[in-house]
Amino acid sequence: MTGSILAACIWAVTATLIALLPSRDHHWRAAYGLIAAGIPILGWVTYENGPGAGLLVLAAGASILRWPLIYLWRWLRRRAMD
């Protein structure tokens, strides 16, 4: 297992543990931190293991951070309609 895959697994476990904790802001601050940490990890995985592994890690991250993606999609649709 490469270091990048290990980092992606640690990121996923950390995200899961954060989701288990109570939060007043519905985990938005944690989501911002996970996004900031996940983007370089995704690039590292893609660089070391190829685009197939990068797409798998991207899909895993998108499933974990689905609500920020849903809100981004809604915002983009509203901007397109204006």
Side-chain angles (χ1 to χ4, degrees):
M1 182 180 306
T2 62
S4 60
I5 297 291
L6 182 63
C9 290
I10 291 171
W11 181 92
V13 169
T14 303
T16 303
L17 292 175
I18 289 171
L20 294 174
L21 299 173
S23 173
R24 291 180 187 259
D25 68 345
H26 302 286
H27 299 98
W28 279 103
R29 283 182 292 163
Y32 295 139
L34 287 169
I35 291 167
I39 290 172
I41 292 173
L42 176 63
W44 187 23
V45 168
T46 304
Y47 178 73
E48 275 194 352
N49 301 297
L55 285 173
L56 287 174
V57 171
L58 178 66
S63 72
I64 292 172
L65 295 171
R66 64 187 167 273
W67 283 108
L69 286 175
I70 289 169
Y71 284 118
L72 174 65
W73 178 253
R74 289 178 184 170
W75 180 78
L76 289 173
R77 277 195 322 185
R78 274 195 315 266
R79 298 280 290 178
M81 294 293 213
D82 288 342

Coordinates of all heavy atoms in Angstrom, one line a residue:
M1 N 0.9 -1.2 0.0 CA 0.0 0.0 0.0 C 0.9 1.2 0.0 O 1.8 1.4 0.8 CB -0.9 0.0 1.2 CG -1.9 1.1 1.3 SD -3.0 1.2 2.7 CE -3.8 -0.3 2.7
T2 N 0.6 2.1 -0.9 CA 1.4 3.3 -1.0 C 1.1 4.3 0.1 O 0.0 4.2 0.7 CB 1.3 4.0 -2.4 OG1 -0.1 4.4 -2.5 CG2 1.6 3.0 -3.5
G3 N 1.9 5.3 0.3 CA 1.7 6.3 1.3 C 0.4 7.1 1.0 O -0.3 7.6 1.9
S4 N 0.2 7.4 -0.3 CA -0.9 8.2 -0.7 C -2.3 7.5 -0.4 O -3.2 8.1 0.1 CB -0.9 8.6 -2.2 OG -0.9 7.4 -3.0
I5 N -2.3 6.2 -0.6 CA -3.5 5.4 -0.3 C -3.7 5.3 1.2 O -4.9 5.4 1.6 CB -3.4 4.0 -1.0 CG1 -3.4 4.0 -2.5 CG2 -4.6 3.1 -0.5 CD1 -4.6 4.5 -3.1
L6 N -2.7 5.2 1.9 CA -2.8 5.2 3.4 C -3.3 6.5 3.9 O -4.1 6.6 4.8 CB -1.4 4.9 4.0 CG -1.3 4.8 5.5 CD1 -2.2 3.7 6.0 CD2 0.1 4.6 6.0
A7 N -2.8 7.6 3.3 CA -3.3 9.0 3.7 C -4.8 9.1 3.4 O -5.5 9.7 4.2 CB -2.5 10.0 3.0
A8 N -5.2 8.6 2.2 CA -6.6 8.7 1.8 C -7.5 7.8 2.8 O -8.6 8.3 3.2 CB -6.8 8.2 0.4
C9 N -7.0 6.7 3.2 CA -7.7 5.9 4.2 C -7.8 6.6 5.6 O -8.9 6.6 6.2 CB -7.1 4.5 4.4 SG -7.2 3.5 2.9
I10 N -6.7 7.2 6.0 CA -6.7 7.9 7.2 C -7.7 9.1 7.1 O -8.4 9.4 8.1 CB -5.3 8.4 7.6 CG1 -4.4 7.2 8.0 CG2 -5.3 9.4 8.7 CD1 -3.0 7.5 8.2
W11 N -7.7 9.8 6.0 CA -8.7 10.9 5.8 C -10.1 10.4 5.9 O -10.9 11.0 6.5 CB -8.4 11.5 4.4 CG -9.3 12.6 4.1 CD1 -9.0 13.9 4.3 CD2 -10.6 12.6 3.5 NE1 -10.1 14.7 3.9 CE2 -11.1 13.9 3.4 CE3 -11.4 11.5 3.0 CZ2 -12.3 14.2 2.8 CZ3 -12.7 11.8 2.5 CH2 -13.1 13.2 2.4
A12 N -10.4 9.2 5.3 CA -11.8 8.7 5.3 C -12.2 8.3 6.8 O -13.3 8.5 7.2 CB -11.9 7.5 4.4
V13 N -11.2 7.7 7.5 CA -11.5 7.3 8.9 C -11.7 8.6 9.7 O -12.7 8.6 10.6 CB -10.4 6.4 9.5 CG1 -10.5 6.2 11.0 CG2 -10.4 5.1 8.8
T14 N -10.9 9.6 9.5 CA -11.1 10.8 10.3 C -12.4 11.5 10.0 O -13.1 12.0 10.9 CB -9.9 11.8 9.9 OG1 -8.7 11.2 10.2 CG2 -10.0 13.1 10.7
A15 N -12.8 11.5 8.7 CA -14.1 12.0 8.3 C -15.2 11.3 9.0 O -16.2 11.9 9.4 CB -14.2 12.0 6.8
T16 N -15.1 10.0 9.0 CA -16.2 9.2 9.7 C -16.2 9.5 11.2 O -17.3 9.6 11.7 CB -15.9 7.7 9.4 OG1 -15.8 7.5 8.0 CG2 -17.0 6.8 10.0
L17 N -15.1 9.6 11.8 CA -15.1 9.9 13.2 C -15.7 11.3 13.5 O -16.4 11.5 14.5 CB -13.7 9.8 13.8 CG -13.1 8.3 13.8 CD1 -11.7 8.4 14.3 CD2 -14.0 7.5 14.7
I18 N -15.3 12.2 12.7 CA -15.9 13.6 12.8 C -17.4 13.6 12.7 O -18.1 14.3 13.4 CB -15.3 14.6 11.8 CG1 -13.8 14.8 12.2 CG2 -16.0 15.9 11.7 CD1 -13.0 15.6 11.1
A19 N -17.9 12.7 11.8 CA -19.4 12.7 11.6 C -20.1 12.1 12.8 O -21.3 12.4 13.0 CB -19.7 11.8 10.3
L20 N -19.4 11.3 13.6 CA -20.0 10.7 14.7 C -20.1 11.7 15.9 O -20.9 11.4 16.8 CB -19.2 9.5 15.2 CG -19.2 8.3 14.2 CD1 -18.3 7.2 14.7 CD2 -20.6 7.7 14.1
L21 N -19.3 12.7 15.9 CA -19.4 13.7 17.0 C -20.5 14.7 16.8 O -20.8 15.1 15.7 CB -18.0 14.4 17.0 CG -16.8 13.6 17.3 CD1 -15.5 14.4 17.2 CD2 -16.9 12.9 18.7
P22 N -21.1 15.2 17.9 CA -22.1 16.2 17.8 C -21.4 17.6 17.4 O -20.3 17.8 17.7 CB -22.7 16.3 19.2 CG -21.7 15.7 20.1 CD -20.9 14.8 19.3
S23 N -22.2 18.4 16.7 CA -21.7 19.7 16.2 C -22.8 20.7 16.2 O -23.9 20.4 15.7 CB -21.1 19.5 14.8 OG -20.7 20.7 14.3
R24 N -22.5 21.9 16.6 CA -23.5 23.0 16.5 C -23.7 23.5 15.1 O -24.8 24.0 14.8 CB -23.1 24.1 17.4 CG -23.2 23.7 18.9 CD -22.8 24.9 19.7 NE -22.8 24.6 21.1 CZ -23.7 24.8 22.0 NH1 -24.8 25.5 21.6 NH2 -23.6 24.5 23.2
D25 N -22.7 23.5 14.3 CA -22.8 24.1 13.0 C -23.0 23.0 11.9 O -22.8 23.2 10.7 CB -21.6 24.9 12.6 CG -20.3 24.1 12.5 OD1 -20.3 22.9 12.9 OD2 -19.3 24.6 12.0
H26 N -23.5 21.8 12.3 CA -23.8 20.7 11.4 C -22.5 20.3 10.6 O -22.6 20.0 9.4 CB -24.9 21.0 10.4 CG -26.2 21.4 11.1 ND1 -26.9 20.5 11.8 CD2 -26.8 22.6 11.3 CE1 -28.0 21.1 12.3 NE2 -27.9 22.4 12.1
H27 N -21.4 20.4 11.2 CA -20.1 19.9 10.7 C -19.6 20.7 9.5 O -18.7 20.2 8.8 CB -20.2 18.4 10.3 CG -20.5 17.5 11.4 ND1 -21.8 17.1 11.7 CD2 -19.8 17.0 12.4 CE1 -21.8 16.3 12.7 NE2 -20.6 16.3 13.2
W28 N -20.0 21.9 9.3 CA -19.5 22.7 8.1 C -18.1 23.1 8.3 O -17.3 23.0 7.3 CB -20.4 23.9 7.9 CG -21.6 23.5 7.2 CD1 -22.9 23.4 7.7 CD2 -21.7 23.2 5.8 NE1 -23.8 23.0 6.7 CE2 -23.1 22.8 5.5 CE3 -20.8 23.1 4.7 CZ2 -23.5 22.5 4.3 CZ3 -21.3 22.7 3.5 CH2 -22.6 22.4 3.3
R29 N -17.6 23.5 9.5 CA -16.2 23.8 9.7 C -15.3 22.6 9.4 O -14.3 22.7 8.8 CB -16.0 24.4 11.1 CG -16.4 25.8 11.2 CD -16.1 26.3 12.6 NE -17.0 25.6 13.5 CZ -16.8 25.5 14.8 NH1 -15.8 26.1 15.4 NH2 -17.6 24.8 15.6
A30 N -15.8 21.4 9.9 CA -15.0 20.2 9.6 C -15.0 19.9 8.2 O -14.0 19.4 7.6 CB -15.6 19.1 10.4
A31 N -16.1 20.1 7.5 CA -16.2 19.8 6.0 C -15.2 20.7 5.3 O -14.5 20.2 4.4 CB -17.6 20.1 5.5
Y32 N -15.1 22.0 5.7 CA -14.1 22.8 5.0 C -12.7 22.3 5.2 O -11.8 22.3 4.3 CB -14.2 24.3 5.5 CG -15.5 24.9 5.2 CD1 -16.2 25.7 6.1 CD2 -16.1 24.8 3.9 CE1 -17.4 26.3 5.8 CE2 -17.3 25.4 3.6 CZ -17.9 26.2 4.5 OH -19.1 26.7 4.2
G33 N -12.4 21.9 6.4 CA -11.0 21.3 6.7 C -10.8 20.1 6.0 O -9.7 19.8 5.5
L34 N -11.8 19.2 5.9 CA -11.6 17.9 5.1 C -11.4 18.2 3.7 O -10.6 17.5 3.0 CB -12.9 17.0 5.4 CG -13.0 16.4 6.7 CD1 -14.3 15.8 6.9 CD2 -11.9 15.4 6.9
I35 N -12.1 19.2 3.1 CA -11.9 19.5 1.7 C -10.5 20.1 1.5 O -9.8 19.7 0.5 CB -13.0 20.6 1.3 CG1 -14.4 19.9 1.2 CG2 -12.6 21.2 -0.1 CD1 -15.5 20.9 1.1
A36 N -10.1 20.9 2.4 CA -8.7 21.5 2.3 C -7.6 20.4 2.4 O -6.6 20.5 1.7 CB -8.5 22.6 3.3
A37 N -7.8 19.4 3.2 CA -6.9 18.4 3.3 C -7.0 17.3 2.2 O -6.0 16.7 1.8 CB -7.0 17.7 4.7
G38 N -8.2 17.1 1.7 CA -8.5 16.1 0.8 C -8.0 16.4 -0.6 O -7.7 15.4 -1.4
I39 N -8.1 17.6 -1.0 CA -7.6 17.9 -2.4 C -6.2 17.6 -2.7 O -5.9 16.9 -3.7 CB -8.0 19.4 -2.7 CG1 -9.5 19.6 -2.8 CG2 -7.3 19.9 -4.0 CD1 -9.9 21.0 -2.9
P40 N -5.2 17.9 -1.8 CA -3.9 17.5 -2.0 C -3.7 16.0 -2.0 O -2.9 15.4 -2.7 CB -3.0 18.2 -0.9 CG -3.9 19.3 -0.4 CD -5.3 18.9 -0.7
I41 N -4.4 15.3 -1.1 CA -4.3 13.9 -1.0 C -4.8 13.3 -2.3 O -4.3 12.3 -2.8 CB -5.1 13.4 0.2 CG1 -4.4 13.8 1.5 CG2 -5.3 11.8 0.2 CD1 -5.2 13.5 2.8
L42 N -5.9 13.8 -2.8 CA -6.5 13.3 -4.1 C -5.4 13.5 -5.2 O -5.2 12.5 -6.0 CB -7.8 14.0 -4.5 CG -8.4 13.7 -5.8 CD1 -8.8 12.2 -5.8 CD2 -9.6 14.6 -6.1
G43 N -4.8 14.6 -5.3 CA -3.7 14.8 -6.3 C -2.6 13.8 -6.1 O -2.0 13.3 -7.1
W44 N -2.2 13.6 -4.9 CA -1.1 12.7 -4.6 C -1.5 11.2 -5.0 O -0.7 10.5 -5.6 CB -0.8 12.8 -3.1 CG 0.4 12.0 -2.6 CD1 1.5 11.6 -3.3 CD2 0.6 11.6 -1.2 NE1 2.4 11.0 -2.5 CE2 1.9 10.9 -1.2 CE3 -0.1 11.7 -0.1 CZ2 2.4 10.4 -0.1 CZ3 0.5 11.2 1.1 CH2 1.7 10.5 1.1
V45 N -2.7 10.8 -4.7 CA -3.1 9.5 -5.0 C -3.1 9.3 -6.6 O -2.7 8.3 -7.1 CB -4.5 9.2 -4.5 CG1 -5.2 7.9 -5.1 CG2 -4.5 9.0 -3.0
T46 N -3.6 10.4 -7.3 CA -3.7 10.3 -8.7 C -2.3 10.3 -9.3 O -2.0 9.5 -10.3 CB -4.5 11.5 -9.3 OG1 -5.8 11.5 -8.7 CG2 -4.6 11.4 -10.8
Y47 N -1.4 11.0 -8.7 CA 0.0 11.1 -9.2 C 0.7 9.7 -9.0 O 1.4 9.3 -9.9 CB 0.8 12.2 -8.5 CG 2.2 12.3 -8.9 CD1 2.6 12.8 -10.1 CD2 3.2 11.8 -8.0 CE1 3.9 12.9 -10.5 CE2 4.6 11.9 -8.4 CZ 4.9 12.4 -9.6 OH 6.2 12.5 -10.0
E48 N 0.6 9.1 -7.9 CA 1.3 7.9 -7.5 C 0.6 6.7 -8.1 O 1.3 5.7 -8.5 CB 1.4 7.7 -6.0 CG 2.5 8.4 -5.4 CD 2.8 7.9 -4.0 OE1 2.0 7.1 -3.4 OE2 3.8 8.4 -3.5
N49 N -0.7 6.6 -8.2 CA -1.4 5.4 -8.5 C -2.2 5.4 -9.8 O -2.8 4.5 -10.2 CB -2.3 5.0 -7.4 CG -1.6 4.8 -6.1 OD1 -0.7 4.0 -6.0 ND2 -1.9 5.7 -5.1
G50 N -2.2 6.6 -10.5 CA -2.9 6.7 -11.7 C -4.3 7.2 -11.6 O -4.9 7.4 -10.5
P51 N -5.0 7.6 -12.8 CA -6.3 8.2 -12.7 C -7.4 7.3 -12.3 O -8.4 7.7 -11.7 CB -6.5 8.6 -14.2 CG -5.5 7.8 -15.0 CD -4.4 7.5 -14.1
G52 N -7.2 6.0 -12.4 CA -8.3 5.0 -11.9 C -8.4 5.1 -10.4 O -9.5 5.2 -9.9
A53 N -7.3 5.0 -9.7 CA -7.3 5.1 -8.3 C -7.8 6.5 -7.8 O -8.5 6.7 -6.9 CB -5.9 4.8 -7.7
G54 N -7.3 7.5 -8.6 CA -7.8 8.9 -8.3 C -9.3 9.1 -8.4 O -9.9 9.7 -7.5
L55 N -9.9 8.5 -9.4 CA -11.3 8.5 -9.5 C -12.0 7.8 -8.4 O -13.1 8.2 -7.9 CB -11.8 8.0 -10.9 CG -11.5 8.9 -12.1 CD1 -11.8 8.2 -13.4 CD2 -12.3 10.2 -12.0
L56 N -11.5 6.7 -8.0 CA -12.1 5.9 -6.9 C -12.0 6.7 -5.6 O -13.0 6.8 -4.8 CB -11.4 4.6 -6.7 CG -11.7 3.5 -7.7 CD1 -10.8 2.3 -7.5 CD2 -13.2 3.1 -7.7
V57 N -10.9 7.4 -5.3 CA -10.8 8.2 -4.1 C -11.7 9.4 -4.2 O -12.3 9.8 -3.2 CB -9.3 8.6 -3.9 CG1 -9.1 9.6 -2.8 CG2 -8.5 7.4 -3.6
L58 N -11.8 10.0 -5.4 CA -12.7 11.1 -5.6 C -14.1 10.7 -5.3 O -14.9 11.4 -4.7 CB -12.6 11.7 -7.0 CG -13.5 12.8 -7.4 CD1 -13.2 14.0 -6.6 CD2 -13.4 13.1 -8.9
A59 N -14.5 9.5 -5.8 CA -15.9 9.1 -5.6 C -16.1 8.8 -4.1 O -17.2 9.1 -3.5 CB -16.2 7.8 -6.4
A60 N -15.1 8.3 -3.4 CA -15.2 8.0 -2.0 C -15.4 9.3 -1.2 O -16.2 9.5 -0.3 CB -14.0 7.2 -1.4
G61 N -14.6 10.3 -1.6 CA -14.6 11.6 -0.9 C -16.0 12.3 -1.2 O -16.5 13.0 -0.3
A62 N -16.5 12.2 -2.4 CA -17.8 12.8 -2.8 C -18.9 12.1 -2.0 O -19.9 12.8 -1.6 CB -18.0 12.7 -4.3
S63 N -18.8 10.8 -1.7 CA -19.9 10.2 -1.0 C -19.8 10.6 0.5 O -20.9 10.7 1.1 CB -19.8 8.7 -1.1 OG -18.6 8.2 -0.4
I64 N -18.6 10.9 1.0 CA -18.5 11.3 2.4 C -18.9 12.8 2.5 O -19.7 13.1 3.5 CB -17.1 11.1 2.9 CG1 -16.7 9.6 3.0 CG2 -16.9 11.8 4.2 CD1 -15.3 9.3 3.3
L65 N -18.5 13.6 1.6 CA -18.9 15.0 1.6 C -20.0 15.4 0.6 O -19.9 16.3 -0.1 CB -17.6 15.9 1.3 CG -16.5 15.8 2.3 CD1 -15.3 16.4 1.7 CD2 -16.9 16.4 3.6
R66 N -21.1 14.6 0.7 CA -22.1 14.8 -0.3 C -22.9 16.1 -0.1 O -23.3 16.7 -1.1 CB -23.1 13.6 -0.3 CG -23.8 13.3 0.9 CD -24.6 12.0 0.9 NE -25.1 11.7 2.2 CZ -24.4 11.0 3.1 NH1 -23.1 10.6 2.8 NH2 -24.9 10.8 4.3
W67 N -23.1 16.5 1.1 CA -23.9 17.7 1.3 C -23.3 19.0 0.8 O -23.9 19.8 0.2 CB -24.4 17.9 2.8 CG -25.5 16.9 3.0 CD1 -25.5 15.8 3.7 CD2 -26.9 17.0 2.4 NE1 -26.7 15.2 3.7 CE2 -27.6 15.9 2.9 CE3 -27.5 17.9 1.6 CZ2 -28.9 15.7 2.5 CZ3 -28.8 17.7 1.3 CH2 -29.5 16.6 1.7
P68 N -22.0 19.2 1.0 CA -21.3 20.3 0.4 C -21.5 20.3 -1.1 O -21.6 21.3 -1.8 CB -19.9 20.3 0.8 CG -20.0 19.6 2.1 CD -21.1 18.6 2.0
L69 N -21.4 19.1 -1.7 CA -21.5 19.0 -3.2 C -23.0 19.3 -3.6 O -23.2 19.9 -4.7 CB -21.1 17.6 -3.6 CG -19.6 17.3 -3.6 CD1 -19.4 15.8 -4.0 CD2 -18.9 18.2 -4.6
I70 N -23.9 18.8 -2.9 CA -25.3 19.1 -3.2 C -25.6 20.6 -3.1 O -26.2 21.2 -4.1 CB -26.3 18.4 -2.3 CG1 -26.2 16.9 -2.6 CG2 -27.7 18.9 -2.4 CD1 -26.9 16.0 -1.6
Y71 N -25.1 21.3 -2.1 CA -25.3 22.7 -2.0 C -24.5 23.5 -3.1 O -25.0 24.5 -3.6 CB -24.8 23.3 -0.6 CG -25.9 22.9 0.4 CD1 -25.5 22.1 1.5 CD2 -27.2 23.5 0.4 CE1 -26.5 21.8 2.5 CE2 -28.1 23.2 1.3 CZ -27.7 22.4 2.4 OH -28.7 22.1 3.4
L72 N -23.3 23.0 -3.5 CA -22.6 23.6 -4.6 C -23.4 23.4 -5.9 O -23.5 24.4 -6.7 CB -21.2 23.0 -4.7 CG -20.4 23.4 -6.0 CD1 -20.0 24.9 -5.9 CD2 -19.2 22.5 -6.1
W73 N -23.9 22.3 -6.1 CA -24.7 22.0 -7.3 C -26.0 23.0 -7.4 O -26.3 23.5 -8.4 CB -25.2 20.6 -7.4 CG -26.0 20.3 -8.6 CD1 -27.3 20.0 -8.6 CD2 -25.6 20.2 -9.9 NE1 -27.8 19.8 -9.8 CE2 -26.7 19.9 -10.7 CE3 -24.4 20.4 -10.6 CZ2 -26.7 19.7 -12.1 CZ3 -24.4 20.2 -12.0 CH2 -25.5 19.9 -12.7
R74 N -26.7 23.1 -6.3 CA -27.8 24.0 -6.2 C -27.4 25.4 -6.5 O -28.1 26.2 -7.2 CB -28.5 23.9 -4.8 CG -29.2 22.6 -4.6 CD -29.8 22.5 -3.3 NE -30.4 21.2 -3.0 CZ -30.9 20.8 -1.8 NH1 -30.8 21.6 -0.8 NH2 -31.4 19.6 -1.7
W75 N -26.3 25.9 -5.9 CA -25.8 27.2 -6.1 C -25.5 27.5 -7.5 O -25.8 28.5 -8.1 CB -24.6 27.5 -5.2 CG -24.1 28.9 -5.3 CD1 -24.6 30.0 -4.7 CD2 -22.9 29.2 -6.0 NE1 -23.8 31.1 -5.1 CE2 -22.8 30.6 -5.9 CE3 -22.0 28.5 -6.8 CZ2 -21.7 31.3 -6.4 CZ3 -21.0 29.2 -7.4 CH2 -20.8 30.6 -7.2
L76 N -24.8 26.5 -8.2 CA -24.5 26.7 -9.6 C -25.7 26.7 -10.5 O -25.7 27.5 -11.4 CB -23.5 25.5 -10.0 CG -22.1 25.6 -9.5 CD1 -21.4 24.3 -9.8 CD2 -21.4 26.8 -10.0
R77 N -26.7 25.9 -10.2 CA -27.9 26.0 -10.9 C -28.7 27.3 -10.8 O -29.2 27.8 -11.8 CB -28.9 24.8 -10.5 CG -28.6 23.5 -11.2 CD -29.7 22.6 -11.0 NE -30.3 22.7 -9.7 CZ -31.3 21.9 -9.3 NH1 -31.7 20.9 -10.1 NH2 -31.8 22.0 -8.1
R78 N -28.7 27.8 -9.6 CA -29.3 29.1 -9.4 C -28.6 30.2 -10.1 O -29.2 31.1 -10.7 CB -29.3 29.5 -7.9 CG -30.5 28.9 -7.1 CD -30.7 29.6 -5.8 NE -29.5 29.7 -5.0 CZ -29.1 28.9 -4.1 NH1 -29.8 27.8 -3.9 NH2 -27.9 29.1 -3.5
R79 N -27.2 30.2 -10.1 CA -26.4 31.1 -10.8 C -26.7 31.0 -12.3 O -26.6 32.0 -13.0 CB -24.9 31.0 -10.5 CG -24.6 31.1 -9.1 CD -24.4 32.5 -8.7 NE -23.2 33.1 -9.4 CZ -22.8 34.3 -9.3 NH1 -23.6 35.2 -8.6 NH2 -21.8 34.7 -10.0
A80 N -26.9 29.8 -12.9 CA -27.1 29.6 -14.3 C -28.5 30.2 -14.7 O -28.7 30.6 -15.8 CB -26.9 28.2 -14.7
M81 N -29.4 30.1 -13.8 CA -30.8 30.6 -14.1 C -30.9 32.1 -14.1 O -31.8 32.6 -14.7 CB -31.8 30.0 -13.0 CG -31.9 28.5 -13.1 SD -32.6 28.0 -14.7 CE -33.5 26.6 -14.2
D82 N -30.0 32.8 -13.4 CA -30.1 34.3 -13.3 C -29.7 34.9 -14.5 O -29.1 34.6 -15.4 CB -29.2 34.8 -12.1 CG -29.9 34.4 -10.8 OD1 -31.0 34.1 -10.7 OD2 -29.1 34.4 -9.8

